[in-house]
Amino acid sequence: MNKWGIIATWKMAVDGVAIGADILKNKGKCQDAVEKAIMEVENDPLYTSVGYGGLPNENCEVELDAAFMDGKTLSMGAVAGIKDYKNPVSIARKLSEDRFNIFLVGDGAEAYAHKNGFIRQNMLTERAKKTWETRMDEITQKNLSPYDGHDTVCMISLDSEKDMAVATSTSGLFMKKRGRVGDSPIPGSGFYVDNEVGGAAATGLGEDIMKGCLSYETVQRMRNGVSPMKAAQSAVEDFSEQLRKRRGVAGAISIVAMNNKGEWGIGTNVEFSFVVSTDEKELKSYLATPIFNEDKTIKEIKIEEM
Ligand code: ASP
């Protein structure tokens, strides 16, 4: 049984997880660990799918989504389509303290952030703008899909008082329509945590993840006694199968999960990197690769240290 732990989606989370692990190691709280860890990723302009430097929508505006949930009280807060604020995850956390109006979008979220003293910042970098211009040309000249280029940072943590928290932050799909919201700020779809069981969070094609409420589904499987690894992988596989059967295609879906004993797991239907640190095992990045059967079902997931 781990005393504390933190798991995050994608290798880009590695510096953030180091900060979160440090907080947890020093008996800090899980809420601070996930917030500070995600802020680190949001602040890095090199990560093109989260926070500052995140890729813009089809109108070349950076619209961000973020969420925060506390596993002890089940308090949650979220923002969607927010522009020009430095740390959406912190705004989401602040909203989780409220009784009403805990999920705000667009200019309502911006007005709340302004009123509560959050830092305003133009989130569009020169680099992201150039990528947008190149993609615009590619879309018109080569008829390419506009939506490649996304990845949400999600973190789940357990602290030494056995409290748990989860948070997410993303710029969503590159070239998304103005006002498009994915799974990341939607409770149950992009994230969920309950101290009595554990937490889960998702990354991938939000439009498909939302159809299966996959974070809640993963937590429910853990509630029924299934390990985080089995819960996350079976949730992804079962739902991908449903999507293929009923709609002909399943988008990319990856899930991280951790239970209240600090055991962790992942589920994925694509190649997927993630980062974990616990009191028993130092911080490591991993790569998960699904191996497919001929009928496109998943035979096994290979997990290697990166
Ligand atoms: N799930 C995010 C969204 O659909 C994107 C991602 O995680 O890749 O907005």
Side-chain angles (χ1 to χ4, degrees):
M1 180 144 143
N2 284 312
K3 288 194 199 70
W4 57 264
I6 179 164
I7 184 167
T9 53
W10 304 113
K11 194 169 186 325
M12 67 176 158
V14 69
D15 293 341
V17 170
I19 291 172
D22 234 36
I23 293 173
L24 297 166
K25 211 178 288 171
N26 291 302
K27 301 217 176 323
K29 291 305 295 173
C30 55
Q31 296 89 339
D32 297 327
V34 293
E35 182 192 0
K36 298 286 181 292
I38 286 192
M39 283 171 73
E40 175 70 18
V41 185
E42 287 179 337
N43 292 344
D44 194 324
L46 294 180
Y47 301 137
T48 54
S49 54
V50 177
Y52 183 54
L55 289 173
N57 65 15
E58 64 175 11
N59 304 86
C60 204
E61 303 155 329
V62 182
E63 289 182 317
L64 301 170
D65 303 337
F68 173 90
M69 184 167 183
D70 183 320
K72 184 174 184 178
T73 57
L74 305 180
S75 295
M76 61 87 47
V79 290
I82 189 169
K83 286 189 289 207
D84 297 332
Y85 275 89
K86 189 169 184 231
N87 292 115
V89 72
S90 302
I91 304 167
R93 181 176 179 184
K94 173 86 183 131
L95 279 163
S96 75
E97 293 166 9
D98 294 341
R99 172 87 176 94
F100 301 108
N101 305 297
I102 59 174
F103 189 166
L104 298 178
V105 304
D107 53 10
E110 287 151 26
Y112 175 89
H114 176 67
K115 202 171 150 211
N116 286 280
F118 286 96
I119 300 169
R120 247 182 100 82
Q121 176 175 316
N122 175 12
M123 301 299 271
L124 183 66
T125 58
E126 259 323 295
R127 190 164 174 261
K129 191 161 165 234
K130 284 227 167 67
T131 311
W132 179 87
E133 283 163 358
T134 311
R135 184 58 66 90
M136 263 324 215
D137 290 345
E138 286 171 354
I139 293 166
T140 35
Q141 285 163 22
K142 298 186 213 148
N143 220 0
L144 279 183
S145 159
Y147 299 122
D148 297 335
H150 49 91
D151 285 346
T152 300
V153 63
C154 307
M155 306 249 185
I156 309 163
S157 92
L158 164 77
D159 65 32
S160 43
E161 291 178 335
K162 299 200 184 314
D163 287 324
M164 295 193 77
V166 63
T168 64
S169 184
T170 190
S171 52
L173 296 190
F174 184 26
M175 291 285 176
K176 65 189 180 184
K177 295 255 180 272
R178 177 184 279 159
R180 179 264 183 194
V181 177
D183 59 305
S184 310
I186 311 284
S189 288
F191 66 95
Y192 199 79
V193 65
D194 179 344
N195 267 11
E196 290 180 5
V197 183
T203 177
L205 185 65
E207 281 74 359
D208 277 358
I209 294 165
M210 285 193 272
K211 292 183 176 85
C213 300
L214 288 178
S215 293
Y216 190 70
E217 176 65 29
T218 301
V219 172
Q220 288 306 90
R221 288 177 190 220
M222 292 195 288
R223 197 186 295 277
N224 293 333
V226 177
S227 73
M229 193 63 94
K230 254 201 142 146
Q233 189 56 34
S234 66
V236 172
E237 277 183 41
D238 292 352
F239 197 64
S240 302
E241 190 52 29
Q242 284 296 318
L243 288 169
R244 266 196 307 273
K245 223 164 54 200
R246 294 157 72 164
R247 304 175 58 82
V249 59
I253 301 174
S254 305
I255 289 181
V256 288
M258 182 172 277
N259 66 16
N260 59 8
K261 298 187 194 96
E263 296 161 345
W264 57 267
I266 61 106
T268 189
N269 62 8
V270 288
E271 192 176 86
F272 165 62
S273 61
F274 60 98
V275 185
V276 190
S277 180
T278 67
D279 64 308
E280 281 174 4
K281 196 154 188 284
E282 60 180 321
L283 185 148
K284 284 250 152 47
S285 301
Y286 299 87
L287 186 69
T289 313
I291 316 285
F292 292 93
N293 293 309
E294 264 167 30
D295 65 355
K296 289 197 186 147
T297 55
I298 294 173
K299 194 162 147 198
E300 59 171 311
I301 304 285
K302 218 171 72 199
I303 296 181
E304 300 161 297
E305 284 182 14
M306 287 176 92

